Structure formats: C-alpha cells, structure tokens
Amino acid sequence: MINTMPVEGIAADPEAKQPVDLVLRNGRIHTQDPARPVAAALAVRDGRIVAVGDDQDMAPLIGPQTRVVDALNRRVIPGLNDSHLHVIRGGLNYLLELRWDGVPSLRMALWMLREQAGRTPHGQWVRVVGGWTGEQFAEQRLPTVSELNAAAPDTPVFVLHLYQSAILNRAAIRAIGLTRDSVPPPGGQIVRNHAGDPTGLLLAAPAATILYSALAKGPKLAEEEQLGSTRHFLYELNRFGLTSAIDAGGGFQNFPENYGAVMKLAEQGLLTMRIAYHLFPQTPGQEFDDLRRWIATVRPGDGDEWLRLNGAGENLAWSPADFENFTEPRPLRPEKADRELEAAVRLLVENDWGFRLHATYDETISANLDVFEKVAPKLGVPWFFDHAETVSETSLDRIAALGGSLSVQNRMMFQGGAFRDRYGVAKAAAAPPIRQMLDRGLLTAAGTDATRVSSYNPWLSLEWLVRGRTIGGSPLMSSEHRVDRETALRMYTLAGAGLTGEANIKGMLKEGCYADLVVLSDDFFSVPEEDISHIESLLTVVGGRIVYAAGEFEGMAPPQTAIQPSWSPVAFFGGFHHTVPPTMPSGVRQAQAVVEAAAESEEHRQWRAVRGFGEPHASEEEIFDSCFVL
C-alpha cells in the first residue's frame, strides 16, 4: 500500500494549504525515503518538496497557478548525482567536440568525422575527446592515422583515446608544431617513422600530459560562446537525469578564470544542475602556494545550493599522483611524494578544508594512508579517495578508521580489457571491490570520470554497477562485487549528497528536500540488465523547474538557446549517440536511421570508387588504411 502524508502533518505547517508551484501525479515514485519508500504524487513549492503521497493528497494544494504534470504511470526517481564529473571543463569545450559516445561502428564514426571536417572553418579543429573506445565499435578497433588523413586532408583532427593515446592527422601535426626535433614531456612518447618524423600517434607512457598539452594548443571558444557551451552541456546531462555533480577539477582548469562560465550562469540563475566544485593545483612545485592562497580567500561551503566550493583536489600535489593507463605498468612513487603530500594535507586539515584525492592503485592508497596517519589518527575533515580500482581490504579498514569515504567510477567499463590483459582475470573481477567497500559501511558514491575517459552518460555507469561488463559486453566484474539496482541508485544519489554534506536535503524525494527528480523512459527496476544503458530522462526537474522534457512531455521545458558557433559538431550530431529503444518516438528512430543510412552510403561509395565503378573522391590509399580496404 502507498503511504500518504497524514492530514495533521499538513495542517501543522501554516503554508501547507497554500497553492504549490508544481504537482507531479500518477507516477510510480521511488522516493528512497525509508519512512515512505513509494508514492504516486508529490508537490513542490519554492524549489522544495512540501508533500508526498497519493494523487488525492495533492488536491488541496492545487491553485490557479499550479502546474500539474501527469507522469503517465512512469517510474520517477530522485535526480542523479555524478560524484566525479569534470563538468566545468567539459562545459567549456562541449560545443567544440565531436562525440563518438555510443556510436556503434567505426564506419559511422569516420563518416561523422568526414562530414564535420567539411563544415569546420579554416583555423578550427575537429576534436574527438573521450567517452568512446574501440571495443564499442562493430569493427573492434581504433581508427588509423591514414583514415584520419583521408577523412580530413586539410582540417586538423585530434582524437583522444582514453588515458592511453591520441591520434592526429597530418594537419594537426602541423597545427601543433610537432617535428622530428620535438621532445616529449616526461612519461610521454611521440611515435616516429623510419625518418624520425612524427606519425601522428602520441602515447601516454604512462603520463597523459603529452595528450592534454597537445589538446590545449587547439582554438578555444570566446567567453560568450563558453557560456552557451556550458548551458548546452548541462542540458545534455539533464537529458540523462543528472541534476547534480561534484566537479573534480582537472588539468588545465585554473581557478578562478576557468570557473567564470559556471559562476556567471549561477549569478544569472541559469544553471540547470547543482555543482559542488573542487580546486586542483595546476603547477608542480607551486601546489602549496596555490592551496595557501585559496585558503586565505575562499572556504568550503562558500556559494549556494546551485554552486558551492566543496574542498581541494582531486590533485593536492603532483608527485604522489599515479596514472590510470593500464596499457603501461604502474608508475613508481617519487621520493618527495610523501613529504609534499604531508605538507598539503596538514595545511588543509589545520584550516578545516576537506579534500578528495586521485588514487588508482592500492600501492598509492597505502602510501597516502601512511601520510594521513602521520597527520592525525582521524583527520577530522571530510575527505575521500577517487577511483581505488585495486584498493585492498587492509586499506579499506584504514580508510574507515581515518573517517574517509570513496568515489568509484565505471572506468573499467572502458579500460577493463587493458587491465585484464596486464593484471589477469581474477584482479579485474574485483576492480574496484565495491561490495567490500559497502560491507564496511564506507560511504561509497558513484560517477563516471567523464569526459576524457568514460562517457558522461550515467546509465552506462549504473549498468556497469549492476552487470559488471565492459562497453563491448565482455564479462569483467564478478558477481560478489556487483550490486543490486537499489544499491546502485543510492550510490548515484544519496551517497553523492553525503560527499557534499547534503544528505539531509538531496537524494531523496521527501518533504523538505530539493525538488530534483526524473521521469524515466523505461523502468530502471524492471528492464533487462543489458537495457539499463538505454534509459534516458523524459522529464528532468531541478529545484522545481522543468529543465528537460522529451517524448510525451516535449515542450514543457524552456527552449534552448541557439548553438554558437553554428558549425559546432553538436549542432549536427548532438551529444551521446544513444541506441534508440523501442519506446522512443518514431521521429527519433527515423532520424537515427537517416544518419546510419548516410554512413552506409558513404562506405558503399568508397567501395565503388576503389573498384573503378564511379568517380572517386580520393585515391585508394587515402580512403582507408591499406590493411582495411574493402
């Protein structure tokens, strides 16, 4: 039986009988409130939920200005919260990037690249940055340099593959200024041909600095365009039901200049997600000075419910950092790492600053815990490790003793094959050991680490938590480390709220909590496991505002601003190329069919050109790498 709010509970509040702003009715609401786990309706006033119960309980709260939305008996959940998302950096660049997230074949990906190169103006690049891997493609491989050269002979093309490599065409090599005399940074490799010239392949060996520094040389959006790019990126995240994120800082994300777009949108009341951000020292040797300067000017908690500082990290000092390129061996820890990390942690703890810390391997985590235990037996500030793929049971016990938490991501969904090849099936089956984390009572939140490795689509991550398979469907995580769907959803909602000190007001649909909720395209609790990644939002509400609407709810959200620049890849291809489930409108299915047919037609044209049946657009060797000519 569905619980309803007692009448006396409403009467106790003098405003309770006043008309509300929004009523959602006729839904199958999963509240995550133990006192009332299911409901059919809820009411919202001033951005907060004021009543939860049955449809009839909402009748006294409906006035002339109340917006009443029929959920059409669909599943409703609290808004999703990605606990590790590079949302600020991703927003600044979103409209510059061609997304291969979800694209099912390399054939289609190369067709998209060719099309985009044709409309990209002189001086601009075509960038594919994260969210994909060769395992997702039907061809089960990466593109070659020859294929990039054929697709875009004159337009610079930069394709980033996970934390492992970047593939550049000839035009990008020239644009970046790579020559036979170029010297790679430590931990990076420029692949060269027999003459010593760069081929277009850059390798993280194991550090990704060479990849990111090359990417940073590309053109940037103007300030106003960065505002629009961030708005469109947030809208794309709303499309998947994300209503909150904890920004993890990141390389080439300087404070305060690179935070200007989200700060301006917050000032104008235009954010459609709640963002708790972290400050990440950018320059080796200057980390302590950066932290000291920030401590003197801002404090964790500064801001409001839409944009607020959450602490330092995920980098505190460069020397203790490890790398997550599983095609390379685990890096050794420099001697100075402990000393520099201790100085940073002492400074933060003494000034009541919480922090997060990137750590992939247990060797790194154990060494970091040695440092923490020197600072204090219990740190006394909120802190957590990110990633922790190979964390040991001993380290988990030490994290619990020090009052720490964890944030895990679905990076293994994209990189699991490389990890398994290096460390074996048994270790891959427990990377990370999520069940051991939860069984110890450790607060463990979930996320993606998008946008440079995993896709920002949270439903991929939720499917991985439940199903434990790679993006190509290969089994990876063993059953004892996977979680059930309710646990996965809590990790993506309540746990993330716990990492920002908001567990009492976010992640549940109950009276007094933020009115952040999602009406789903399919029921998360009943679809087959392999279809979880097909789920999208049909209606996303943040703070009582409808910020995204699709399908039967289309038109309920405010219209989006025009995409600028007009040649942006997003204007033509959108963001995540989601496989269209049967419940999506026929028009969407038809649009996807046109894209796929166009890609197939292009492939057929190339086949005919190679065999002399028609006028070729390029020579045979330019069309495809010779190993793959049809």
Side-chain angles (χ1 to χ4, degrees):
M1 178 180 292
I2 295 176
N3 295 311
T4 60
M5 171 176 266
V7 175
E8 60 268 26
I10 296 177
D13 181 356
E15 294 187 357
K17 291 187 177 180
Q18 296 300 313
V20 296
D21 304 318
L22 173 71
V23 165
L24 183 79
R25 61 173 297 274
N26 189 26
R28 289 178 289 135
I29 303 175
H30 180 78
T31 69
Q32 296 195 143
D33 176 10
R36 186 188 286 112
V38 295
L42 56 79
V44 178
R45 183 189 298 114
D46 297 330
R48 302 276 186 124
I49 297 171
V50 296
V52 179
D54 286 334
D55 287 356
Q56 59 266 30
D57 298 318
M58 305 302 130
L61 304 175
I62 296 173
Q65 303 303 315
T66 302
R67 189 173 198 174
V68 180
V69 176
D70 187 337
L72 303 174
N73 199 35
R74 290 189 176 274
R75 175 65 66 189
V76 182
I77 63 169
L80 299 178
N81 183 352
D82 190 322
S83 66
H84 188 120
L85 178 65
H86 296 276
V87 60
I88 293 174
R89 184 178 65 194
L92 296 179
N93 298 290
Y94 177 63
L95 292 184
L96 285 176
E97 295 172 355
L98 175 66
R99 305 303 309 181
W100 282 356
D101 308 46
V103 173
S105 71
L106 180 58
R107 178 198 71 196
M108 180 180 293
L110 289 171
W111 173 79
M112 293 168 66
L113 196 153
R114 183 188 294 272
E115 288 292 303
Q116 184 56 38
R119 64 172 63 93
T120 299
H122 179 72
Q124 293 290 341
W125 294 13
V126 178
R127 280 169 264 214
V128 179
V129 183
W132 69 280
T133 185
E135 191 180 346
Q136 81 191 46
F137 294 146
E139 297 88 342
Q140 292 285 292
R141 67 175 179 87
L142 307 182
T144 66
V145 173
S146 296
E147 287 169 329
L148 299 193
N149 286 330
D154 304 311
T155 304
V157 173
F158 180 100
V159 177
L160 179 70
H161 180 238
L162 307 177
Y163 295 121
Q164 299 173 9
S165 61
I167 311 168
L168 286 66
N169 69 347
R170 284 189 294 262
I173 292 173
R174 291 193 297 268
I176 290 174
L178 283 179
T179 69
R180 65 178 58 191
D181 299 320
S182 297
V183 178
Q189 181 181 346
I190 301 171
V191 178
R192 304 175 189 273
N193 62 20
H194 67 280
D197 295 317
T199 64
L201 185 61
L202 305 179
L203 300 178
T209 306
I210 187 172
L211 313 180
Y212 299 158
S213 59
L215 178 60
K217 294 180 180 179
K220 295 176 175 58
L221 291 171
E223 185 174 324
E224 280 303 310
E225 290 174 332
Q226 288 180 355
L227 286 175
S229 181
T230 299
R231 291 188 69 179
H232 280 279
F233 185 46
L234 297 182
Y235 184 77
E236 171 75 353
L237 298 176
N238 296 149
R239 167 190 167 192
F240 295 103
L242 281 162
T243 61
S244 290
I246 310 177
D247 185 85
F252 300 92
Q253 184 173 314
N254 292 290
F255 180 81
E257 52 266 39
N258 295 133
Y259 292 70
V262 291
M263 289 181 171
K264 190 167 185 179
L265 292 176
E267 290 171 0
Q268 297 174 352
L270 295 176
L271 288 179
T272 59
M273 281 180 61
R274 306 181 194 276
I275 301 172
Y277 63 90
H278 286 252
L279 301 185
F280 183 121
Q282 296 294 313
T283 307
Q286 189 181 305
E287 304 99 322
F288 192 81
D289 292 336
D290 284 341
L291 293 172
R292 190 165 47 191
R293 174 166 49 86
W294 295 335
I295 286 170
T297 55
V298 292
R299 295 197 59 78
D302 283 358
D304 57 23
E305 64 188 58
W306 290 96
L307 182 67
R308 58 197 292 270
L309 174 63
N310 201 51
E314 64 180 295
N315 186 42
L316 302 181
W318 282 92
S319 55
D322 61 9
F323 306 102
E324 53 279 275
N325 178 5
F326 298 132
T327 61
E328 294 283 335
R330 178 182 61 83
L332 298 177
R333 189 178 180 92
E335 289 184 7
K336 63 180 180 178
D338 290 357
R339 181 177 68 254
E340 293 184 348
L341 181 60
E342 181 179 348
V345 171
R346 284 192 184 279
L347 179 67
L348 293 169
V349 170
E350 288 169 0
N351 288 276
D352 295 321
W353 265 61
F355 63 90
R356 68 191 306 164
L357 192 59
H358 169 109
T360 300
Y361 299 96
D362 185 62
E363 290 82 354
T364 303
I365 292 169
S366 179
N368 291 345
L369 290 170
D370 290 341
V371 171
F372 297 170
E373 287 167 351
K374 286 178 63 177
V375 173
K378 198 172 183 74
L379 293 183
V381 297
W383 71 274
F384 58 97
F385 279 125
D386 284 296
H387 314 312
E389 274 86 356
T390 72
V391 64
S392 66
E393 292 193 60
T394 299
S395 292
L396 290 175
D397 291 336
R398 295 172 69 190
I399 293 169
L402 281 161
S405 304
L406 292 151
S407 171
V408 299
Q409 299 79 42
N410 64 323
R411 304 191 308 177
M412 291 291 285
M413 194 177 196
F414 290 79
Q415 302 182 108
F419 185 98
R420 182 185 54 220
D421 292 346
R422 177 167 294 280
Y423 298 108
V425 173
K427 289 190 179 297
I434 297 172
R435 179 51 60 189
Q436 293 173 356
M437 299 172 182
L438 296 171
D439 287 347
R440 282 166 171 77
L442 284 163
L443 179 64
T444 305
T448 59
D449 198 10
T451 59
R452 290 183 174 176
V453 58
S454 304
S455 173
Y456 50 74
N457 181 347
W459 296 101
L460 288 173
S461 186
L462 282 157
E463 181 177 304
W464 171 76
L465 289 167
V466 171
R467 193 173 178 228
R469 292 177 177 255
T470 67
I471 194 73
S474 300
L476 195 70
M477 195 190 312
S478 63
S479 58
E480 60 263 36
H481 295 292
R482 302 197 296 267
V483 299
D484 61 76
R485 301 188 198 205
E486 289 198 15
T487 301
L489 187 60
R490 286 196 298 271
M491 292 174 67
Y492 238 100
T493 51
L494 282 167
L499 293 182
T500 57
E502 298 173 288
N504 62 327
I505 53 173
K506 189 159 67 173
M508 285 188 291
L509 300 178
K510 62 177 292 187
E511 294 86 348
C513 288
Y514 294 145
D516 301 349
L517 56 96
V518 188
V519 180
L520 300 179
S521 61
D522 297 279
D523 190 348
F524 171 60
F525 297 107
S526 63
V527 296
E529 287 183 355
E530 63 271 20
D531 287 339
I532 291 173
S533 58
H534 295 299
I535 295 173
E536 295 190 12
S537 170
L538 293 181
L539 190 77
T540 304
V541 177
V542 189
R545 288 188 291 142
I546 297 175
V547 297
Y548 177 84
E552 301 94 329
F553 305 96
E554 190 169 356
M556 290 188 178
Q560 284 295 289
T561 58
I563 291 177
Q564 294 294 336
S566 59
W567 53 265
S568 164
V570 177
F572 295 88
F573 299 109
F576 187 93
H577 181 93
H578 208 181
T579 305
V580 180
T583 55
M584 291 299 285
S586 59
V588 177
R589 291 199 300 274
Q590 183 180 8
Q592 177 166 303
V594 168
V595 172
E596 293 175 350
E600 188 169 344
S601 175
E602 173 64 15
E603 182 181 54
H604 183 63
R605 184 199 63 75
Q606 292 174 355
W607 185 91
R608 290 175 57 81
V610 167
R611 288 157 179 79
F613 294 122
E615 286 297 320
H617 291 190
S619 65
E620 177 175 334
E621 62 269 18
E622 287 178 325
I623 292 173
F624 278 118
D625 185 286
S626 58
C627 294
F628 301 103
V629 170
L630 297 171

